[in-house]
Amino acid sequence: MAKTIQSIRGVHDVLPEQSIHWQYVESIFRDLMSDYGYKEIRMPILESTDLFIRSIGEVTDIVEKEMYTFTDRNGSKLTLRPEGTAGCVRAGIQHGLLYNQQQRLWYCGPMFRRERPQKGRYRQFHQFGVETFGMAGPDIDAELIALTARLWERLNLKEITLELNSIGNTTSRENYKESLVEYFNQHRELLDEDSQRRLTSNPMRILDSKNPSMQEMIGQAPNILDYLDEESSAHFEQLKALLDAMQIHYVINPRLVRGLDYYSNTVFEWTTTQLGSQGTVCGGGRYDKLVEHLGSRETPACGFGLGIERLLGLLEAQDVQPPQKAPHFYFIMRGEKAQIAGMQLTESLRDTVDGVKIICNCGGGSFKAQMKRADKSHAAYALILADTEVDSAHISIKPLQSRDEQKLIPQAELKEYIESLNLV
Ligand code: ATP
Ligand code: MG
């Protein structure tokens, strides 16, 4: 036999047992989005490499070392999207959805980053993303945070903390960066190679470093909140007041930054200690200058990305189970006539009883084998049809989850009987 082929490193299948959990979080997220008036946008997975270089920025882990990029047959450079914001903004500009309009958008799908695979960090992973456009005030920032808080609530999740910061507007950041560079220069010997490089290209990213030996020094760095100008300060204060009014608790974390110039003001992350070092489940913030940076007219924007694998990891850690969706019936057929009449009857039940879930036995098998499959399906009842019952137009119903008696009823009364069971 030839050697079998395995999936590639950091890229995983979602098996039927797990897909129940995926569908559960997806349906809760979809309903939540619809409740808040957000509309779905579906962007391509492949985009021009330039889009990500321009929007994520050259001096970032993603663009420097994590993108899956290849040259197409015609010579153009393409990349598998590492995140959704860039593509969403590109689509918004291309189709005229942004200028002078308000948009509340969401998407869901795979992202690709060539990172070192470990628990909660994969090369193909999935995100729910939300992006809003055309709203400059802290109200929409607060709405995004409130809807994520509601998502945890609907999923019954606990032990998840909101970390909040403001990186101010461009002017506030100019002054801050100056002090920051001065501080890091005084501690140059503690900076790792990446950080030394970023000292000139993108000093705020150094605050984001996960290098344990730099944490203490980073902890003493100047605090961005001391550098906010009046406008940025007001935005932040109003956001906090809105969160307070909605009773959403937060922890201010002045080290929470996004190092690129088109990010501004609000930055937030939802973190947990239950997922080891991959503890950020959701990260977001405001990016008022990105639309302009990508060549269109200035449009305020705010959004977040939420890692679905990490969300599922947290659900598992807290033992949150999706509601069971076992079938109502498993249809067992004994004999050739029963096989034909049974399939016919199953389809007519599907026509007449809205929402009924029936697994129809296929592939034959003895009565015993079919009963075994029925048990394995966790169906509430077995419907049993033998050739003799076809002749007398009856059918048997056997409860599988209780000790109640098996019943023989006329087929003509089956619909009514099923309705009386109140299963659907
Ligand atoms: P991290 O600091 O964990 O690398 P990030 O800042 O790179 O995260 P974002 O780009 O903000 O992450 O993406 C939003 C969310 O997507 C993260 O909070 C996380 O939940 C999830 N995520 C990011 N990278 C991965 C990955 N490689 N595997 C699984 N989930 C991921
Ligand atoms: Mg990362």
Side-chain angles (χ1 to χ4, degrees), residues 61-62 66 113 115 121 210 310:
D61 283 348
I62 293 181
E66 294 174 358
R113 297 184 194 176
E115 303 192 70
R121 194 174 291 287
K210 297 195 172 84
R310 293 191 192 172

Side-chain angles (χ1 to χ4, degrees), residues 113 115 120-122 125 127 210 258 280-282 305 307 310:
R113 297 184 194 176
E115 303 192 70
R121 194 174 291 287
Y122 310 101
F125 64 100
Q127 275 186 353
K210 297 195 172 84
R258 309 231 149 190
T280 307
V281 178
C282 172
R310 293 191 192 172

Side-chain angles (χ1 to χ4, degrees), residues 148-172:
T148 42
R150 190 170 299 281
L151 178 64
W152 318 139
E153 194 185 291
R154 288 195 183 175
L155 287 168
N156 234 332
L157 280 175
K158 305 190 170 64
E159 314 266 336
I160 181 157
T161 306
L162 173 62
E163 296 186 31
L164 189 66
N165 193 24
S166 170
I167 54 170
N169 56 18
T170 322
T171 6
S172 330

Side-chain angles (χ1 to χ4, degrees), residues 57-87:
E58 240 153 325
V59 195
T60 55
D61 283 348
I62 293 181
V63 173
E64 282 175 347
K65 44 195 177 198
E66 294 174 358
M67 293 205 301
Y68 282 98
T69 296
F70 64 96
T71 309
D72 199 3
R73 287 164 201 270
N74 66 358
S76 50
K77 280 210 153 181
L78 305 181
T79 295
L80 292 176
R81 64 179 186 196
E83 53 99 62
T85 308

Side-chain angles (χ1 to χ4, degrees), residues 35 44 83 86 97 144 171 190 220 238 263 280 314 338 348 357 409:
D35 293 353
E83 53 99 62
L97 306 181
L144 289 179
T171 6
L190 292 173
Q220 305 291 319
Q238 285 163 23
Y263 286 108
T280 307
L314 194 55
S348 81
K357 294 188 208 307
I409 60 165

